[in-house]
Amino acid sequence: MLPKINPLKTKSHAKLKAHAKEMKKIHLRDLFEQSGRFGKFSLTWNDFLFDYSKNIIDQKTLSLLLDFTKEMKLGKAIDSMFSGELINETEKRAVLHTALRKLSPESETDKDFYIGGENVSHLVREVQEKIKTFCGRFHSGSMTGYTGKKFTDIVNIGIGGSDLGPVMVTEALRQDWKEGIHVHFVSNIDPSHIHTILKKINFETTLFLIASKTFTTQETMANANTAKKAFLDSGAQEKDTALHFAALSTNIPKVTEFGITPENTFTFWDWVGGRFSLWSAIGLSIALTIGYDKFLELLRGAREADLHFRHTAPEKNIPVLMAVIGFWYTAFWGSQTEAILPYDQYLHRFPAYLQQGIMESNGKSVDRMGKKVQYPTSPVIWGEPGTNGQHAFYQAIHQGTHFIPSDFIASVHSRNNKHNQHQILLSNCFAQTEALMKGKTKKEVMEELSSKGMSKKEMENLAPYKVFPGNRPSNTFLIKEINPRNLGSLIAFYEHKIFTQGVLWNIFSFDQFGVELGKVLANVILPEIEDKNTKVEHDSSTSGLIRQYHEWK
Ligand code: F6P
């Protein structure tokens, strides 16, 4: 079980509060005056440099934050998760997405994962073997569609965790795509989404993956039925669906009801949360797109990050540092958002992926004792790849009224370098973190304007607009290259940051009851939209919207 501790009642929280007052008097520029700052507040691990020196922290901040993790019993919480305890208490489930990435067989020193005495690593390996065989047949061409043609297209139908992870990873690893294979993703219930994809594909050479943990999600089931109907309308027979549809799910009876064969069914388990499921059977679209070996590399990278998280001292532990720094800003600096800024076009879905990972996990307001929390929890997560973001919203990060801690992610080697474009990209990334940290003082602005020959009055009028306050914090991940292994590690770091922050906020990170109410109400409203004679009883706004729909329909 996870410890139940009110963070506000810890000694270190009170000390951090007092310390934050002191730190607010210091500018990041001044902190950088002290020599050795980069060495003290950065670390390298495998192909990663994690630079957290451009944060408004000093050695004391860090040691108080780490004291706080001790008081919140983070070490015990980590052990509880990895040992398969039912830490998802509200749903009475273990949380073992980490078990999906342990590839080596059990030994004295490298134990398998267990839940209540059951070796779940065995179950994981069985499904992995099945995925491997399936991928082998798919790529060799021995698996064909109903007209005997080799498959060329994969359509993954799923939403939330059954979509965002696979989309993000396949996009990030575009350079690794198997020749001649195209992957498409359908998630939204909006018929325009599936329509766009169905228009692009040839049904004879397309494999549909119905990805849904529950196999009851309204959007996914509606899209799956539409895909099946379109497949049959294209000239295929009912029996041909056995060749062209596969399911990735924990709900085998529902899969069977849909007409998918056991051979094409890839299962996973309730101890894999939707938003942590890309490593499971939900990752089949990834394995089919980049090949099984590279999918394993992704898992290996995540496993390395798991071992780092589990066994590294907190002061050298990347996810722990990420988590405590984020906590520092939400608790004591009033930060309400965090920007994720990948300087890698292929990581363009990473912010969207983390929106679900972070906000669905830690967007909670009731603590582990059932009480309303008296402090902020998950920030709002958003972002776009650099340099697009620079020409859109960076203005507000530099000079706006919100305090926005940012994560910059960049790679040293582009797998696609054209002329010196990658160097230009990197120069922008580094320049932005420097500008955010330093800002530009009035003195500097005046000197600049004066060199342009401006009058004193003009300079005084313009200067306030040209001053950059600076002191805006950022982390930078500089990675040698975005490849399957490094991507696996990066994702796992963020997963463990999420877990750690859940512990520090004393909330349950692995349920998502907040998504339920809207779903229930949509089911009430659907018949009212379908039939205008159905009695409508809502608030005046909702009833007004429904009435107007019927008037204009
Ligand atoms: O949005 C709620 C949610 O339950 C997510 O947690 C999940 O990833 C998504 O719906 C999809 O669920 P399923 O995989 O069961 O279709």
Side-chain angles (χ1 to χ4, degrees):
M1 290 298 151
L2 292 179
K4 295 181 167 61
I5 302 163
N6 181 345
L8 300 182
K9 301 241 164 94
T10 61
K11 287 195 185 103
S12 36
H13 196 282
K15 287 186 191 163
L16 279 163
K17 195 171 172 189
H19 174 64
K21 279 197 187 133
E22 292 307 307
M23 290 304 284
K24 283 178 188 165
K25 297 177 192 155
I26 306 170
H27 194 282
L28 257 173
R29 268 190 191 220
D30 305 323
L31 292 173
F32 269 93
E33 288 301 311
Q34 289 146 22
S35 67
R37 182 167 176 86
F38 174 71
K40 269 190 217 138
F41 298 106
S42 68
L43 52 95
T44 49
W45 175 88
N46 287 359
D47 283 355
F48 286 69
L49 164 70
F50 177 52
D51 174 14
Y52 57 103
S53 61
K54 291 190 183 102
N55 282 292
I56 313 169
I57 56 168
D58 63 9
Q59 209 66 60
K60 183 172 174 193
T61 323
L62 215 48
S63 81
L64 287 175
L65 284 167
L66 296 178
D67 287 350
F68 176 59
T69 64
K70 280 192 206 117
E71 275 193 86
M72 294 305 290
K73 303 207 184 321
L74 175 63
K76 162 146 194 343
I78 294 174
D79 285 345
S80 299
M81 173 169 74
F82 279 92
S83 53
E85 288 177 30
L86 306 189
I87 63 164
N88 176 357
E89 268 183 53
T90 52
E91 296 180 319
K92 298 193 174 54
R93 291 174 183 168
V95 175
L96 272 189
H97 44 278
T98 48
L100 301 164
R101 9 228 225 202
K102 182 183 178 290
L103 302 172
S104 54
E106 180 163 62
S107 70
E108 262 311 299
T109 51
D110 188 14
K111 290 277 171 222
D112 276 352
F113 284 87
Y114 289 81
I115 298 176
E118 185 190 15
N119 182 329
V120 295
S121 296
H122 285 328
L123 306 176
V124 170
R125 281 185 206 116
E126 261 172 44
V127 176
Q128 284 172 344
E129 273 308 306
K130 190 167 172 180
I131 293 176
K132 183 180 175 185
T133 311
F134 193 82
C135 285
R137 287 178 48 230
F138 185 88
H139 293 127
S140 69
S142 70
M143 179 195 296
T144 61
Y146 73 100
T147 55
K149 290 188 185 149
K150 189 173 183 263
F151 285 108
T152 56
D153 287 72
I154 304 148
V155 176
N156 187 84
I157 299 178
I159 196 165
S162 301
D163 167 74
L164 287 162
V167 178
M168 182 275 285
V169 170
T170 50
E171 282 299 297
L173 299 177
R174 266 186 174 271
Q175 291 295 307
D176 295 284
W177 284 25
K178 287 259 180 199
E179 183 119 9
I181 303 291
H182 308 280
V183 67
H184 317 269
F185 292 89
V186 175
S187 52
N188 203 326
I189 188 70
D190 183 339
S192 304
H193 199 180
I194 190 152
H195 180 70
T196 314
I197 304 299
L198 294 182
K199 255 186 11 192
K200 280 192 202 165
I201 50 140
N202 173 356
F203 286 95
E204 290 176 47
T205 55
T206 298
L207 177 70
F208 291 93
L209 305 179
I210 315 303
S212 175
K213 180 171 167 178
T214 54
F215 229 73
T216 56
T217 302
Q218 186 190 43
E219 294 88 338
T220 302
M221 296 331 294
N223 278 322
N225 286 319
T226 298
K228 188 168 166 183
K229 180 156 187 321
F231 174 69
L232 296 175
D233 289 348
S234 76
Q237 306 289 310
E238 181 68 40
K239 67 174 176 31
D240 301 328
T241 57
L243 296 174
H244 285 259
F245 284 77
L248 327 171
S249 185
T250 59
N251 191 344
I252 305 307
K254 285 274 175 204
V255 170
T256 316
E257 209 177 284
F258 185 85
I260 292 176
T261 62
E263 299 82 66
N264 279 11
T265 301
F266 299 83
T267 195
F268 59 112
W269 310 272
D270 68 2
W271 41 267
V272 179
R275 51 194 173 273
F276 302 95
S277 64
L278 71 90
W279 324 97
S280 71
I282 289 293
L284 184 61
S285 55
I286 303 173
L288 290 172
T289 305
I290 63 172
Y292 186 70
D293 289 347
K294 289 192 174 175
F295 179 63
L296 287 189
E297 275 299 289
L298 184 83
L299 302 189
R300 274 190 200 105
R303 168 75 173 163
E304 284 172 314
D306 294 343
L307 295 175
H308 167 85
F309 178 57
R310 191 158 191 198
H311 300 298
T312 308
E315 61 276 15
K316 297 253 175 271
N317 194 313
I318 295 174
V320 172
L321 292 169
M322 292 163 76
V324 295
I325 291 168
F327 178 87
W328 168 240
Y329 295 131
T330 52
F332 306 109
W333 294 75
S335 93
Q336 295 183 341
T337 90
E338 259 172 42
I340 306 291
L341 307 169
Y343 277 67
D344 184 309
Q345 184 56 32
Y346 291 148
L347 281 177
H348 68 113
R349 295 300 285 161
F350 198 56
Y353 167 75
L354 287 182
Q355 274 174 343
Q356 188 200 17
I358 296 176
M359 293 167 75
E360 196 168 90
S361 299
N362 287 338
K364 312 279 168 68
S365 52
V366 174
D367 71 13
R368 292 202 291 266
M369 282 90 95
K371 297 268 180 326
K372 188 136 180 39
V373 297
Q374 303 300 319
Y375 43 83
T377 59
S378 174
V380 175
I381 301 297
W382 55 284
E384 278 289 321
T387 59
N388 291 0
Q390 290 176 206
H391 293 271
F393 52 77
Y394 276 41
Q395 163 66 39
I397 309 186
H398 283 286
Q399 287 188 315
T401 52
H402 290 283
F403 179 78
I404 306 173
S406 312
D407 282 0
F408 288 74
I409 303 164
S411 65
V412 170
H413 298 287
S414 164
R415 297 168 88 193
N416 225 351
N417 202 7
K418 288 274 176 296
H419 312 294
N420 66 340
Q421 282 193 221
H422 188 66
Q423 282 92 333
I424 301 175
L425 176 74
L426 275 188
S427 65
N428 272 281
C429 173
F430 299 164
Q432 288 297 331
T433 67
E434 186 178 19
L436 286 167
M437 180 274 279
K438 273 191 175 164
K440 198 178 199 182
T441 61
K442 181 160 180 204
K443 187 166 170 279
E444 287 164 343
V445 172
M446 294 296 267
E447 278 164 12
E448 189 186 285
L449 295 180
S450 141
S451 72
K452 288 184 182 152
M454 257 185 206
S455 73
K456 183 97 177 53
K457 186 152 186 290
E458 273 178 315
M459 280 166 35
E460 280 295 344
N461 285 344
L462 196 54
Y465 303 102
K466 294 224 154 204
V467 167
F468 284 63
N471 211 32
R472 314 244 152 160
S474 65
N475 292 309
T476 302
F477 273 111
L478 184 62
I479 306 169
K480 275 193 192 154
E481 178 184 81
I482 304 294
N483 55 30
R485 177 176 162 229
N486 290 340
L487 181 66
S489 301
L490 181 70
I491 302 168
F493 281 156
Y494 276 96
E495 287 182 344
H496 296 316
K497 172 190 175 179
I498 293 168
F499 171 79
T500 302
Q501 290 195 325
V503 172
L504 303 184
W505 284 321
N506 192 39
I507 53 177
F508 289 121
S509 301
F510 297 101
D511 57 23
Q512 56 285 317
F513 298 117
V515 301
E516 295 304 329
L517 180 59
K519 289 187 195 173
V520 172
L521 290 181
N523 283 330
V524 174
I525 292 174
L526 180 60
E528 298 166 356
I529 289 195
E530 284 174 334
D531 178 1
K532 75 168 168 198
N533 298 320
T534 311
K535 197 158 173 250
V536 172
E537 275 177 56
H538 297 278
D539 59 89
S540 60
S541 160
T542 312
S543 302
L545 290 165
I546 297 171
R547 254 197 327 273
Q548 192 65 60
Y549 166 81
H550 286 301
E551 237 176 273
W552 281 347
K553 184 79 182 135

